[in-house]
Amino acid sequence: MLEFEATTTDGEALTSEIFADSRLTMINVWATYCNPCLAEMPDLGEIATMYEKTDFQMIGIISDVMSDASEDDVNEAKQLIAETGATTYPHLLLNESLYMNLVGAVDAVPTTFFVNQKGELLGYLMGAQAKVTWTSLIEDLLAELEYPRT
C-alpha cells in the first residue's frame, strides 16, 4: 500500500488519504528538465477534468524539486505547470516520504502509476503517452475496478 505525506506547490498538505476520494488515482512523476514530461502535461491537464472526482483523480510529483527547495525552484515549477495547463490537479514537491515509498523506484521520467482507493498499486507506465492512450488505459482500469476479473 502506498503511503505518503507531502506538500503541494501551493503549500497544501496532502497525504495518501487522498486515494480514498476516487476509485482510481493516476500519479504522474515528472521533472522540470524533461521535455517529454512537459509535452504531455497539457493533455494530462485536460484528462484531469474529464471524469467525476469519485471515479478518477490525478496527482503530479515533481521529481527534481524538493519540499525544502528554494522559492525560485518552486516558482519555476509553478510556472511550468501554468504554461502547460496542468493546473487542474495538484503537484507534490518531492520529500523523503514520496522518495522512499514511490519515486525511488523510478528509473526515468515521466513514469506514471495507477492506484486504487486503498492505495494499492495497480500498475505503472514509463514514458510520455498520447491523450488517447491515457484515456483508453483509464477507461480500462475503471472498468476493471467496477467488474474485477475472477
Side-chain angles (χ1 to χ4, degrees):
M1 217 168 87
L2 175 60
E3 292 189 25
F4 71 87
E5 295 178 3
T7 305
T8 69
T9 54
D10 295 324
E12 178 188 355
L14 279 184
T15 70
S16 48
E17 291 177 9
I18 193 171
F19 299 140
D21 295 344
S22 295
R23 291 191 306 132
L24 179 66
T25 300
M26 179 175 170
I27 305 169
N28 180 255
V29 181
W30 64 280
T32 59
Y33 60 82
C34 171
N35 288 330
C37 300
L38 299 173
E40 78 174 348
M41 285 170 65
D43 287 344
L44 298 181
E46 289 178 21
I47 292 168
T49 66
M50 292 173 51
Y51 299 88
E52 293 293 324
K53 176 129 168 115
T54 55
D55 286 329
F56 175 80
Q57 66 183 341
M58 190 176 308
I59 299 170
I61 299 176
I62 312 166
S63 64
D64 65 330
V65 180
M66 299 291 293
S67 58
D68 60 354
S70 71
E71 188 176 331
D72 287 345
D73 287 344
V74 174
N75 285 337
E76 177 190 0
K78 288 169 81 169
Q79 181 178 348
L80 291 169
I81 292 164
E83 287 173 5
T84 60
T87 57
T88 57
Y89 58 97
H91 295 267
L92 303 176
L93 301 172
L94 187 63
N95 64 14
E96 185 176 355
S97 173
L98 287 170
Y99 184 82
M100 296 301 290
N101 293 307
L102 186 69
V103 179
V106 170
D107 291 328
V109 288
T111 295
T112 303
F113 297 89
F114 291 91
V115 298
N116 65 16
Q117 282 182 304
K118 298 175 186 174
E120 297 167 330
L121 183 64
L122 301 174
Y124 72 96
L125 197 58
M126 288 176 49
Q129 306 298 319
K131 183 178 179 181
V132 66
T133 304
W134 284 130
T135 55
S136 176
L137 183 55
I138 292 164
E139 293 295 330
D140 289 348
L141 286 168
L142 285 171
E144 189 170 313
L145 287 170
E146 190 168 340
Y147 306 106
R149 289 183 235 160
T150 55

